[in-house]
Amino acid sequence: FYETSYCLSQQYPLILQLLLLILLALCIAIIVVSFASGRLLSEHLPFLVTIFCALGVFLVVFVLVCVESVFQCCMVLFSLVVWGCLITMGYVFIFCSGRVAPWDQVYFFLFIVFVGYTMLPISIRNAIIAGVLSSGSHIVTLSIYLSREATSGVDLALQLLANAVIFLCGNLVGAYHKNLMECALQETYHETFNFVKSRVKLESEKRQQEHLLLSILPAYIAMEMKAEIIERLKDGQPKYENTNNFHNLYIKRHKNVSILYADIVGFTRLASECSPKELVVMLNELFGKFDQIAKENECMRIKILGDCYYCVSGLPVSLPNHAKNCVKMGLEMCQSIRQLREATGVDINMRVGVHSGNVLCGVIGLQKWQYDVWSHDVTLANHMEAGGVPGRVHITEATLSHLDGVYEAEKAFYGYRDPYLKENNIRTYLVIDPRAGEDSSADTVTSATAEGPMIRASVRMTQYLESWGAAKPFAHLNHRDSLGVEPPTLDIDSIMNMEIPMASLPHQPRTLDRVRSPKETEDNLNEKIFQIIDQLSSQKQWKKSEDFNRITLYFNEKSTEKEYRLSTLPAFKYYTAGSFFVFLCNFVIQMLVSPRTVEIGVSYAISFFLFLLLLFGCFAGPLMKCILKGPKLLHWVPSISPAIASRPWLRVPLGVVTILILLIMALLNFFFLPPASCPPLAQNASASDALNSQSLYSIPYYMYCCILGLLSCSIFLYMNFELKLILLTVALVIYNVIFLHTHAWLSDCYVNWLYPNLTILEPGVLKEPKLTGSIAFFTFFCVLLVLARQNEYYCRLDFLWKKKFKKEREEIETMENLNRVLLENVLPADVAQLFIGQNLRNEDLYHQSYECVCVLFASIPDFKEFYSESDVNREGLECLRLLNEIIADFDELLSKPKFSGVEKIKTIGSTYMAATGLNAPPGGQEAQQDEDRSISHIGVMVEFALALIGKLDIINKHSFNNFKLRVGINHGPVVAGVIGARKPQYDIWGNTVNVASRMDSTGILGKIQVTEETAKVLQKLGYTCQRRGVIKVKGKGQLCTYFVSTDLARSPPQANALN
């Protein structure tokens, strides 16, 4: 429907208005010529009455067509009225004001046929019907009428056959033009449709990208990093290529903020009882609730570390009540956990520490960005949580000073204090919750039901937490059309002007609550398409445009105009084939009605030769197989066809030559008609006294050949308007000079032959060949100019859409790549595919269990001593610049093929966490018979650890430092998942992760410490492991650990297991 509406309404009503103007001018011209010629009006009264009636009808229709609403509902009716009126005029012209001849009004019916195809708002099917009826009725009517008269049957048959050839040519040229125009319009429609879709998609991609980026980073850092990624993607640079000595640093200092650390006491034991799904659901619901509390209290969640949650108030905009916000949030977190404990009977609690001070915040590294904070104050806040009391909010004296007495606090007991707090003599306080008494009396919910004890604690927790209804991670990505803002209403001015940002366009707000169905989305898109169809009408070419010059239709940008003129035109060969058909029709017509002379034979022989050469050159490409079978001397010929299509300097002259051949050959043999003397004007003169009648009745047919030659210009759809104007104008002037001046005597001679006694019967205006020809030339000249202008407009519009759509497509590809880069910076690549791309409707929480994952923790303990805050290092900023270089160099190792299986999880301060085995089939689905290959990723992790140590040594040489890496590795089962709706975060949990962390914290600088189980696997893979002995590990008791030798290489046989 929309495509049909586009194809019909784009050309109309303007082109119908122009047709009516041409018809009005034609009627007025005929009336003026009739009065100016001095003919007796009484003899031509029916003729004049018809002209005046037609003038009135056309005027009324013109007025109605100018009313758009009337035109839209009466389009077919107007077409029928115009066509019917023209047919009536044609038959009145034939049978009034003179003798009826076989050539009578052939031009007028040719005009009806042609405009039916090109200027009436009807489908091609109806145009064919109208064309066949118009031409067929003319031939049948004249053959019946003239067969009664005593005229030569042979001459009548030849002329009627010539008429049939003319009408055939007119129908085919008209149908060809309409088909080309409809194809161009359909292509423009599809480009428009694709353009609108791409705009909507681009807006969706932009919103996804912004949601995604802002879910990872604050806006002020996100936009800076986004601009850098876009530039890198556009320039096609390697993913992490840095062009200077340092990587970009996205860290800023903020003063007067409060930092909150919170840890769920008892969660580790609970998590060990949970299934993977229960664990992920539990964490997502808990931290989703905390995110909601953080939002309500103007706090920004920084990161989730296992079951530890920390946030900051006063970022990125400074807040005077930052300390009150954090304390209030801490109290609400404790209250939520207390309600959870009382509702489920599960023994868990919340320990919260808060400190106020200054922070450096931002992002370090190249992969898995996570917004983080650093400073001595952050370290202190962490220890405030560690030294706190379960169920209470532990604050420093600095935080207390900012509370302004809003909350009461009591001094913390000495026994709860952390060693760090004790060493630094930090005074701490416990906030008294003002609602503690109310909660104890109000919270009467209990889990002491009959079946309560029979349900596992983890199940009770999960069931209760799901009632909180925390949002799913990446929920805004699950439906592209359910994003917060509806795609803006598109209008043609904004679409045609690519410089206008889409954000500035008018839009209608839409909330997240309403998710549009695919049907509603399609209807919405169609509505936008229809809006553009309404606005992209052909009248726009006469209005001021950002792209076109309204007079010349040239593009305002010279580069675009040059690109348009130099664009390839594969359809040129079809233009030449169409022109050759017109040439054949002219040849047949002249063979039928003109005396056969030597000149006509020679001229057409030369013309045929030239045309065949041109056609061979244009169609040499499709004929390549045949040509290549011939002599090698001709093997270069197929290259002519693409050269003609792609080179304007070759194509344009050939097009002009083709049209000139047609225009010249249409009239050339007119000059070689046999010499003749006109018959006497005496009343008793007879036709036998005249010259060969064939020489005379061929005169109007030469005029019709000239008209067909003019029609050939319409076949060259993509020829520039100014070139067509020049060719048509020159042809019009020359033809009128010939028929009205230099050879007008031939027309007069023919009239004298047809009307021996002019005093008794005087021919009408349209019965004289020279006047008929002149009026026909001017009429077709105007019609062809209007069509040339329309063709030019739509060809340029089509080119512009393609150009803009290409630019849109490039932007979309950039946005899609940006989304991919951003999402893969949050999630592993295979997990990212579940949230973006083809699986948009996956609304379940992502969780996966793995039987064998190797986890690495690599820390730089010396960095804590290295880090200091002074004016010299810009309050610690330069220290973090070095840390950024270290982490970035570590990240660059991940791009090496040998470490493609290593997945960075996150950085925690100066600790680097990574894992292998996450891209293997989950849940132990690996082939057990290939045990070596199933554990080979553990060896890859050791190689990665060795590479990290080597990278740090290189950095030490350049920075004149002596940092040492401490590495802990463990392997075993883990649970992976994505939690947190506001800031989705991929993480792994399990005893394997905890032990790996302890292997790092209890390790020795420069050493890689592993558990006994991991050491056995490494020894199988050819690594040398030295037994350290049994050590005490917090939360795990006594463990026997090993150091991996960093000096000895693996033995070759076992080394093959990693390949």
Side-chain angles (χ1 to χ4, degrees):
F1 168 76
Y2 290 100
E3 185 172 349
T4 304
S5 174
Y6 182 88
C7 293
L8 287 178
S9 66
Q10 286 307 287
Q11 282 183 287
Y12 318 106
L14 176 64
I15 200 165
L16 184 57
Q17 293 170 358
L18 293 173
L19 172 61
L20 290 168
L21 287 175
I22 292 171
L23 293 175
L24 289 171
L26 175 63
C27 292
I28 293 171
I30 293 173
I31 293 170
V32 170
V33 172
S34 297
F35 280 97
S37 63
R39 287 172 169 78
L40 292 175
L41 300 181
S42 58
E43 294 182 2
H44 307 285
L45 194 57
F47 173 81
L48 292 173
V49 170
T50 303
I51 291 292
F52 277 105
C53 290
L55 185 64
V57 171
F58 292 145
L59 189 58
V60 171
V61 174
F62 177 78
V63 172
L64 293 175
V65 167
C66 291
V67 182
E68 185 176 353
S69 58
V70 176
F71 170 77
Q72 293 293 340
C73 63
C74 302
M75 188 188 303
V76 178
L77 178 62
F78 289 149
S79 303
L80 190 61
V81 169
V82 172
W83 181 78
C85 194
L86 288 173
I87 289 290
T88 304
M89 289 172 65
Y91 281 111
V92 170
F93 295 164
I94 291 174
F95 293 105
C96 294
S97 304
R99 288 182 58 179
V100 178
W103 55 268
D104 226 341
Q105 303 309 315
V106 171
Y107 91 91
F108 195 78
F109 277 80
L110 177 63
F111 172 76
I112 296 171
V113 168
F114 188 69
V115 298
Y117 285 103
T118 58
M119 302 188 79
L120 289 181
I122 54 179
S123 65
I124 191 167
R125 176 176 171 271
N126 292 334
I128 292 172
I129 293 172
V132 171
L133 286 176
S134 303
S135 52
S137 65
H138 181 277
I139 294 171
V140 172
T141 302
L142 287 186
S143 61
I144 294 173
Y145 183 84
L146 293 173
S147 62
R148 303 180 201 170
E149 298 185 359
T151 56
S152 172
V154 176
D155 288 346
L156 176 61
L158 291 174
Q159 290 179 78
L160 290 176
L161 190 56
N163 293 350
V165 174
I166 292 170
F167 289 137
L168 176 65
C169 183
N171 274 280
L172 291 179
V173 170
Y176 178 74
H177 181 276
K178 189 172 187 68
N179 181 64
L180 283 179
M181 199 63 194
E182 284 194 353
C183 288
L185 285 170
Q186 287 171 1
E187 194 171 354
T188 304
Y189 167 81
H190 288 300
E191 293 297 337
T192 305
F193 184 77
N194 290 332
F195 185 85
V196 176
K197 282 206 304 185
S198 70
R199 270 289 185 186
V200 173
K201 184 178 180 183
L202 181 59
E203 282 305 295
S204 176
E205 291 284 348
K206 284 181 178 178
R207 288 195 302 275
Q208 282 190 39
Q209 169 256 113
E210 286 172 5
H211 277 289
L212 182 57
L213 195 57
L214 294 177
S215 73
I216 309 170
L217 308 168
Y220 72 99
I221 287 182
M223 294 305 105
E224 188 178 352
M225 298 187 76
K226 169 185 159 185
E228 184 198 346
I229 297 173
I230 291 176
E231 285 302 315
R232 193 163 62 221
L233 290 173
K234 284 183 177 178
D235 296 342
Q237 295 179 8
K239 193 170 182 180
Y240 299 112
E241 179 183 4
N242 56 311
T243 55
N244 51 31
N245 293 329
F246 296 99
H247 296 88
N248 291 336
L249 185 66
Y250 302 101
I251 294 178
K252 292 187 178 181
R253 183 172 180 80
H254 288 268
K255 296 182 178 180
N256 297 320
V257 300
S258 289
I259 309 106
L260 177 148
Y261 271 82
D263 187 70
I264 303 174
V265 180
F267 187 81
T268 302
R269 184 183 71 256
L270 178 65
S272 63
E273 303 173 3
C274 294
S275 68
K277 181 177 181 180
E278 289 171 349
L279 178 61
V280 173
V281 169
M282 195 182 304
L283 288 170
N284 187 71
E285 295 291 340
L286 276 172
F287 293 134
K289 178 70 171 179
F290 296 162
D291 283 346
Q292 182 182 347
I293 296 172
K295 182 181 179 183
E296 292 170 355
N297 290 285
E298 299 182 287
C299 295
M300 177 189 290
R301 187 243 287 174
I302 302 300
K303 195 178 286 189
I304 298 170
L305 301 175
D307 58 350
C308 179
Y309 182 103
Y310 65 101
C311 63
V312 175
S313 181
L315 288 179
V317 179
S318 180
L319 297 172
N321 57 342
H322 55 86
K324 300 171 190 174
N325 290 340
C326 278
V327 170
K328 185 170 181 289
M329 178 177 175
L331 293 173
E332 291 182 3
M333 293 172 79
C334 291
Q335 183 186 23
S336 296
I337 293 295
R338 186 161 56 249
Q339 291 174 348
L340 175 64
R341 182 177 65 250
E342 293 175 355
T344 62
V346 177
D347 186 18
I348 61 170
N349 215 328
M350 177 65 74
R351 192 170 57 218
V352 180
V354 180
H355 174 57
S356 301
N358 306 323
V359 296
L360 290 166
C361 56
V363 177
I364 62 172
L366 301 176
Q367 289 194 24
K368 296 297 184 294
W369 296 321
Q370 289 183 4
Y371 191 66
D372 211 344
V373 290
W374 303 266
S375 71
H376 291 315
D377 290 323
V378 173
T379 304
L380 177 55
N382 190 4
H383 285 282
M384 287 296 293
E385 175 272 313
V389 179
R392 302 292 298 274
V393 178
H394 193 202
I395 63 174
T396 61
E397 191 171 20
T399 302
L400 182 64
S401 66
H402 286 87
L403 295 180
D404 300 328
V406 174
Y407 294 97
E408 295 183 3
E410 58 186 8
K411 287 187 178 181
F413 294 104
Y414 182 84
Y416 290 115
R417 299 182 66 179
D418 182 83
Y420 179 89
L421 303 178
K422 184 178 180 181
E423 290 173 8
N424 291 276
N425 196 26
I426 305 296
R427 293 183 181 181
T428 65
Y429 302 84
L430 295 173
V431 177
I432 299 174
D433 189 349
R435 295 171 297 181
E438 299 175 7
D439 292 339
S440 61
S441 60
D443 295 334
T444 58
V445 181
T446 178
S447 63
T449 62
E451 57 185 70
M454 299 174 62
I455 303 175
R456 285 189 297 111
S458 60
V459 176
R460 297 199 303 273
M461 278 276 290
T462 304
Q463 290 175 348
Y464 180 80
L465 288 172
E466 284 182 333
S467 67
W468 285 0
K472 304 293 190 297
F474 302 105
H476 57 282
L477 294 182
N478 288 336
H479 295 287
R480 292 181 185 225
D481 299 310
S482 65
L483 297 172
V485 179
E486 182 184 0
T489 303
L490 304 178
D491 60 74
I492 184 61
D493 294 327
S494 64
I495 290 177
M496 300 299 283
N497 183 6
M498 296 294 291
E499 300 303 319
I500 297 179
M502 292 300 292
S504 68
L505 296 174
H507 63 272
Q508 298 175 351
R510 181 181 294 268
T511 63
L512 279 169
D513 297 330
R514 182 181 174 189
V515 178
R516 285 177 287 163
S517 66
K519 179 71 167 61
E520 289 175 320
T521 304
E522 182 181 353
D523 292 341
N524 188 44
L525 183 62
N526 288 338
E527 183 181 348
K528 297 181 190 305
I529 293 291
F530 201 68
Q531 290 173 1
I532 290 185
I533 289 175
D534 287 341
Q535 296 186 55
L536 193 63
S537 63
S538 50
Q539 287 96 327
K540 288 287 181 180
Q541 62 180 291
W542 303 107
K543 298 180 181 179
K544 187 175 181 181
S545 168
E546 297 291 335
D547 299 289
F548 297 110
N549 181 297
R550 72 180 92 179
I551 304 299
T552 63
L553 290 181
Y554 287 3
F555 292 114
N556 293 332
E557 291 185 6
K558 291 183 178 180
S559 59
T560 306
E561 180 66 24
K562 182 179 179 181
E563 187 179 349
Y564 172 73
R565 292 183 179 273
L566 294 177
S567 59
T568 304
L569 185 58
F572 183 77
K573 56 180 175 288
Y574 302 117
Y575 299 164
T576 56
S579 301
F580 182 66
F581 174 75
V582 176
F583 175 78
L584 284 177
C585 289
N586 276 348
F587 171 72
V588 172
I589 292 166
Q590 293 182 22
M591 288 296 102
L592 289 171
V593 300
S594 181
R596 296 175 180 83
T597 61
V598 175
E599 291 83 357
I600 196 171
V602 173
S603 61
Y604 269 105
I606 296 172
S607 302
F608 265 106
F609 177 73
L610 294 176
F611 251 114
L612 290 175
L613 280 180
L614 179 61
L615 288 171
F616 183 72
C618 291
F619 285 92
L623 298 174
M624 182 184 297
K625 290 183 179 179
C626 299
I627 295 172
L628 292 178
K629 291 179 181 178
K632 289 187 178 180
L633 291 174
L634 299 177
H635 286 186
W636 59 273
V637 174
S639 62
I640 297 175
S641 181
I644 293 173
S646 60
R647 290 177 173 80
W649 59 268
L650 186 58
R651 182 176 68 234
V652 173
L654 287 177
V656 172
V657 168
T658 303
I659 294 174
L660 286 177
I661 291 174
L662 276 164
L663 294 174
I664 292 170
M665 290 307 298
L667 196 60
L668 180 64
N669 292 293
F670 178 70
F671 300 104
F672 300 110
L673 288 174
S677 59
C678 285
L681 299 178
Q683 195 170 7
N684 58 357
S686 64
S688 60
D689 298 326
L691 70 151
N692 182 3
S693 61
Q694 192 178 31
S695 298
L696 293 177
Y697 71 64
S698 64
I699 294 171
Y701 284 98
Y702 275 106
M703 295 178 182
Y704 300 153
C705 288
C706 293
I707 292 172
L708 293 180
L710 294 176
L711 290 184
S712 65
C713 288
S714 67
I715 295 175
F716 288 83
L717 195 65
Y718 278 83
M719 181 176 281
N720 291 333
F721 172 75
E722 64 271 17
L723 201 53
K724 290 183 181 179
L725 176 63
I726 293 170
L727 290 171
L728 290 172
T729 304
V730 171
L732 176 70
V733 172
I734 292 174
Y735 288 163
N736 276 292
V737 168
I738 291 171
F739 285 105
L740 290 178
H741 182 63
T742 61
H743 289 70
W745 62 273
L746 281 171
S747 176
D748 296 336
C749 184
Y750 187 33
V751 170
N752 291 337
W753 185 77
L754 288 174
Y755 302 91
N757 193 343
L758 292 175
T759 59
I760 297 175
L761 181 62
E762 185 181 14
V765 172
L766 299 181
K767 294 291 185 176
E768 287 193 43
K770 64 179 181 181
L771 293 178
T772 301
S774 182
I775 291 172
F777 293 150
F778 275 103
T779 304
F780 277 94
F781 173 78
C782 294
V783 168
L784 291 172
L785 279 188
V786 168
L787 292 177
R789 171 83 184 193
Q790 289 295 103
N791 293 348
E792 179 85 357
Y793 175 67
Y794 284 113
C795 290
R796 288 178 175 271
L797 187 63
D798 181 56
F799 173 81
L800 190 63
W801 279 127
K802 288 178 180 177
K803 182 178 174 66
K804 288 176 181 279
F805 180 53
K806 181 181 178 183
K807 187 174 180 180
E808 285 285 302
R809 195 159 44 206
E810 290 172 355
E811 285 190 27
I812 289 172
E813 288 175 0
T814 300
M815 284 299 161
E816 287 176 342
N817 290 334
L818 180 59
N819 280 352
R820 177 180 50 77
V821 169
L822 291 175
L823 196 54
E824 289 179 4
N825 255 311
V826 187
L827 311 173
D830 56 330
V831 179
Q833 295 306 313
L834 299 174
F835 291 93
I836 200 167
Q838 299 301 317
N839 300 317
L840 295 176
R841 298 192 178 276
N842 181 8
E843 295 182 355
D844 294 331
L845 284 168
Y846 172 78
H847 59 85
Q848 192 64 262
S849 60
Y850 296 87
E851 290 300 317
C852 183
V853 170
C854 187
V855 183
L856 169 144
F857 283 84
S859 63
I860 310 173
D862 296 340
F863 186 80
K864 292 181 181 178
E865 299 176 6
F866 172 79
Y867 179 83
S868 63
E869 297 175 2
S870 63
D871 293 337
V872 176
N873 61 23
R874 298 169 62 189
E875 300 298 328
L877 186 64
E878 295 305 319
C879 297
L880 289 183
R881 187 183 300 279
L882 179 58
L883 179 62
N884 182 56
E885 291 301 309
I886 294 171
I887 301 300
D889 283 359
F890 287 176
D891 286 344
E892 285 177 345
L893 290 173
L894 298 174
S895 60
K896 291 188 175 183
K898 66 183 293 186
F899 299 133
S900 59
V902 179
E903 191 70 47
K904 177 184 176 182
I905 305 300
K906 58 189 166 186
T907 56
I908 310 159
S910 59
T911 301
Y912 195 92
M913 178 183 177
T916 58
L918 294 173
N919 54 358
Q925 298 174 16
E926 297 167 335
Q928 294 300 320
Q929 64 271 23
D930 196 3
E931 184 180 353
D932 287 345
R933 188 167 296 277
S934 68
I935 61 173
S936 62
H937 65 86
I938 302 174
V940 172
M941 182 59 85
V942 171
E943 292 296 321
F944 183 69
L946 294 173
L948 294 179
I949 294 172
K951 274 285 184 183
L952 190 59
D953 288 341
I954 295 172
I955 292 172
N956 284 334
K957 290 179 182 178
H958 288 93
S959 63
F960 304 103
N961 284 296
N962 192 28
F963 294 128
K964 293 291 184 181
L965 201 64
R966 188 179 66 196
V967 182
I969 295 177
N970 185 31
H971 81 282
V974 301
V975 175
V978 180
I979 59 171
R982 297 191 180 278
K983 286 188 177 182
Q985 180 176 314
Y986 178 82
D987 210 343
I988 54 177
W989 304 273
N991 184 63
T992 301
V993 179
N994 296 336
V995 172
S997 175
R998 298 305 181 194
M999 289 297 99
D1000 165 37
S1001 60
T1002 60
I1004 297 175
L1005 293 178
K1007 298 285 188 179
I1008 302 174
Q1009 183 173 228
V1010 298
T1011 60
E1012 187 173 9
E1013 293 76 11
T1014 304
K1016 291 178 180 178
V1017 172
L1018 291 174
Q1019 286 170 348
K1020 282 185 181 180
L1021 295 173
Y1023 291 93
T1024 302
C1025 297
Q1026 300 173 348
R1027 188 175 187 274
R1028 180 187 182 184
V1030 177
I1031 62 171
K1032 184 179 181 181
V1033 177
K1034 181 181 177 183
K1036 305 300 174 184
Q1038 303 292 323
L1039 289 180
C1040 181
T1041 64
Y1042 289 76
F1043 290 130
V1044 179
S1045 174
T1046 58
D1047 300 326
L1048 300 176
R1050 290 169 295 163
S1051 56
Q1054 286 90 350
N1056 292 333
L1058 289 179
N1059 298 329

